[in-house]
Amino acid sequence: MEYLSLTAAQQCILQHTLQLGVETIPLEHALRRVLAEEVYSNRDHPPYDVSAMDGYAVRAADLSCTPSELTVVEDIKAGAMPMMAVLPGQCARIMTGAPIPQGADTVIRVEDTQPVGNECVQILCSALYGTDIRSRGENLRNGELVLGCGTEITPGVLGILAMVKRTEVKVRTRPRVAILSSGDELEGLYAPFDSDKIPDANSYTLMAQVQALGIEPVLLGIAQDDPIELSRYLMRGLAYDVLLISGGTSVGVYDFVRPTIEALGIQMHFWRVAIRPGHPLAFGTTPTTRVFCLPGNPVSSMVCFEQFVLPALRDMMGHTRLFRRTITARISKPMKHRAGRTELIRVTLDADEQGYQATPTGAQGSGVLLSMARAEGLLLIPNECDGLHAGASVTVQLLEGAAYQQHSGIAEGI
Ligand code: AMP
Ligand code: MG
């Protein structure tokens, strides 16, 4: 039986991702969605030259001798327009964001001034022409393209959309995802406790992995190892854009997923991938559904989701960055490896002066879900590698949650 490499399997899947539609949604719900339109600025922002500081709007030419004394002609606050022009020897008290009055060309921070009575101020420094003025349109220029199609809506992007007054935005629709577990031994989360059973973890790890991408999946439940029941569940699953099935995909006598899937006419593209954990990984398509058959072992199911399902879902959502970020780390202990398959080791990461050190999270069996629960990343041992020495440089794929750390990481005194 043919084993595809990890990258060949990813490529095959990405060649078959579905193109979904677009929808218009309120701005308030747009976080993490992907823009399906170009967005232009509808105003100059700021609308005129404004002060960047609380201070005094002056004529730089008046400051040739230090200190210099100027007459204060008015107060200008943000949201108000200046009433007076600033003539030689004059200035205006100005607040951050307030418009620069006619005649003034520079702002002096209040810290560099000293009031003299009610009407005058001493400027204690000289200043370059134009200092602390934000020019009109510096943030956004009217008519300018500010966000391209395909932009992921992060908090900052959402702020830009609010600035250009988009109450609604056109975004890519999200794939509808269904999740199915299979196996006679499985006990549902809400089923009575039975110490002889295996609790269904995969429905929930997969649910959470899908949710982490901003998609709310549907759990179809647990199908018994029975071709007729499995077939009924699979048909329900084929009403979705993406169907994730875990368990029963191997070649055991009671692994019915493969024959049932073939009987339903789902076109299978591959059944095996040369990775560990996770090699019984299959991918098939119908005209409207992408079907992933994931291994039953909880770690394998999660690792396969990360490698194969995640990039496909992100692609369907319209993202251009499809893969988890990878970093380079060093390993503290040597690692054995059998060439011919890619291995993904669950690791934690510790930052030091030289970058990151990766340490395995303990026993790496594909049923040891705790090894995944504790992991911050997946260390990749490439398929051609025949072992790694201590200190070797490796690639680590960051997992959900790895964006946070215990310490601020900011080296400065309090
Ligand atoms: P299978 O792929 O069906 O041969 O299952 C491989 C192993 O994964 C078996 O030990 C199963 O009990 C276990 N397994 C299968 N499905 C699940 C699940 N949904 N949750 C937890 N363990 C599972
Ligand atoms: Mg099974």
Side-chain angles (χ1 to χ4, degrees), residues 70-138:
L70 303 173
T71 307
V72 183
V73 294
E74 67 171 332
D75 265 14
I76 313 166
K77 57 180 188 172
M81 295 306 285
M83 307 298 287
M84 317 272 286
V86 170
L87 303 174
Q90 296 182 337
C91 66
R93 211 149 71 95
I94 195 164
M95 310 304 142
T96 305
I100 302 294
Q102 223 190 352
D105 51 43
T106 302
V107 169
I108 304 297
R109 308 184 302 163
V110 72
E111 293 89 331
D112 294 330
T113 65
Q114 180 69 50
V116 182
N118 274 341
E119 285 168 15
C120 290
V121 67
Q122 241 185 16
I123 309 292
L124 307 174
C125 65
S126 61
L128 282 179
Y129 180 94
T131 300
D132 283 330
I133 291 183
R134 292 190 191 133
S135 53
R136 169 183 178 163
E138 179 181 297

Side-chain angles (χ1 to χ4, degrees), residues 237-321:
L238 292 180
Y240 293 82
D241 300 317
V242 175
L243 170 59
L244 309 179
I245 309 158
S246 77
T249 60
S250 201
V251 289
V253 179
Y254 298 102
D255 289 331
F256 290 117
V257 169
R258 179 168 190 169
T260 310
I261 268 198
E262 280 169 339
L264 285 175
I266 299 168
Q267 190 195 345
M268 296 311 292
H269 299 278
F270 59 81
W271 282 97
R272 294 281 178 270
V273 181
I275 64 169
R276 192 171 110 134
H279 69 84
L281 181 273
F283 172 67
T285 55
T286 71
T288 53
T289 307
R290 300 299 172 258
V291 182
F292 293 85
C293 305
L294 304 165
N297 274 307
V299 174
S300 313
S301 159
M302 285 193 78
V303 168
C304 283
F305 180 96
E306 291 295 318
Q307 309 315 310
F308 306 108
V309 185
L310 178 144
L313 291 178
R314 285 185 63 85
D315 193 34
M316 289 185 221
M317 291 169 82
H319 288 283
T320 44
R321 293 190 292 181

Side-chain angles (χ1 to χ4, degrees), residues 179-250:
I179 295 170
L180 175 65
S181 286
S182 82
D184 286 351
E185 75 281 28
L186 298 181
E187 177 183 277
L189 182 62
Y190 295 97
F193 180 89
D194 177 346
S195 56
D196 291 334
K197 294 268 190 180
I198 299 295
D200 172 20
N202 296 355
S203 289
Y204 296 93
T205 52
L206 291 170
M207 174 197 77
Q209 287 176 297
V210 172
Q211 285 173 335
L213 299 178
I215 301 171
E216 199 53 53
V218 169
L219 300 193
L220 298 179
I222 300 169
Q224 300 294 300
D225 291 321
D226 165 68
I228 294 170
E229 178 167 327
L230 197 55
S231 176
R232 247 197 339 259
Y233 272 100
L234 288 177
M235 271 160 33
R236 281 182 56 204
L238 292 180
Y240 293 82
D241 300 317
V242 175
L243 170 59
L244 309 179
I245 309 158
S246 77
T249 60
S250 201

